Amino acid sequence: MGKRKKSDTVGQIAGKDNFQRMNFLYQMAHTVMSVNPNNAQLARYYTSTLKRISKNCVQRQDPSVKRTICKRCDSLLIPGVTATVRIRAKREKHVVVTCLECRMVRRFLARKDYQLWTELPTSLGSQRKTTGATDKKDVSERIADKKNHSETISSSTEGKADQ
């Protein structure tokens, strides 16, 4: 019943259990809809619970997950089953997703160069990927700098001792 050691918490991710719960609920909603599309109410309950957990825990949902859940009625948007998907090119080419339960319309840009925030180089996820390779290099450079620094200090102290 003592304090936790620092080594126990090194490899853990903050909110991992909540992330696992949200992942499980999303998978269950998809499974329920794939087994029997008439169980839309159960899938809607799972997705509303998922949204409630992410809101209470202040965790962002991945945009690919958010795009498959209706904002108004929390139903799972499956093309041809609970949603219609159309490609329009009036002003700019975009995808129109319409929920068949509540008739909510969502539009997503369909540009060639369009990237989600998770794919941008400034996002936190991409920074982790890029810094993983450079951390080893930085550590080795720091060790070499410390050795050089300690050698210069020891040589300067030897010079003073000789005088």
Side-chain angles (χ1 to χ4, degrees), residues 2-125:
K3 290 185 177 180
R4 284 188 178 172
K5 295 179 182 177
K6 289 184 180 179
S7 62
D8 292 344
T9 59
V10 172
Q12 294 180 355
I13 300 170
K16 183 179 178 182
D17 55 340
N18 294 324
F19 177 75
Q20 287 176 341
R21 286 179 63 200
M22 292 189 318
N23 186 20
F24 174 77
L25 289 168
Y26 185 71
Q27 289 178 4
M28 283 304 299
H30 264 285
T31 304
V32 164
M33 288 301 291
S34 65
V35 170
N36 187 3
N38 294 331
N39 283 339
Q41 286 293 94
L42 184 58
R44 189 177 295 148
Y45 173 75
Y46 288 146
T47 54
S48 64
T49 307
L50 179 141
K51 286 175 77 173
R52 194 174 335 114
I53 290 170
S54 68
K55 190 179 282 188
N56 289 343
C57 300
V58 193
Q59 279 190 334
R60 277 188 168 178
Q61 291 179 359
D62 193 58
S64 61
V65 173
K66 286 175 79 173
R67 287 181 172 201
T68 59
I69 299 173
C70 180
K71 281 185 171 183
R72 189 182 296 166
C73 69
D74 292 335
S75 65
L76 201 61
L77 298 176
I78 300 172
V81 180
T82 59
T84 57
V85 179
R86 303 279 187 248
I87 297 175
R88 302 281 185 214
K90 276 190 174 179
R91 288 168 244 142
E92 202 170 345
K93 197 170 190 179
H94 60 277
V95 178
V96 179
V97 180
T98 307
C99 177
L100 296 177
E101 299 290 325
C102 65
R103 298 293 181 201
M104 173 80 173
V105 176
R106 298 183 76 182
R107 292 175 183 84
F108 304 108
L109 285 177
R111 291 184 195 154
K112 289 181 183 178
D113 59 338
Y114 184 74
Q115 290 181 327
L116 294 173
W117 63 269
T118 56
E119 298 167 351
L120 293 174
T122 58
S123 72
L124 185 62

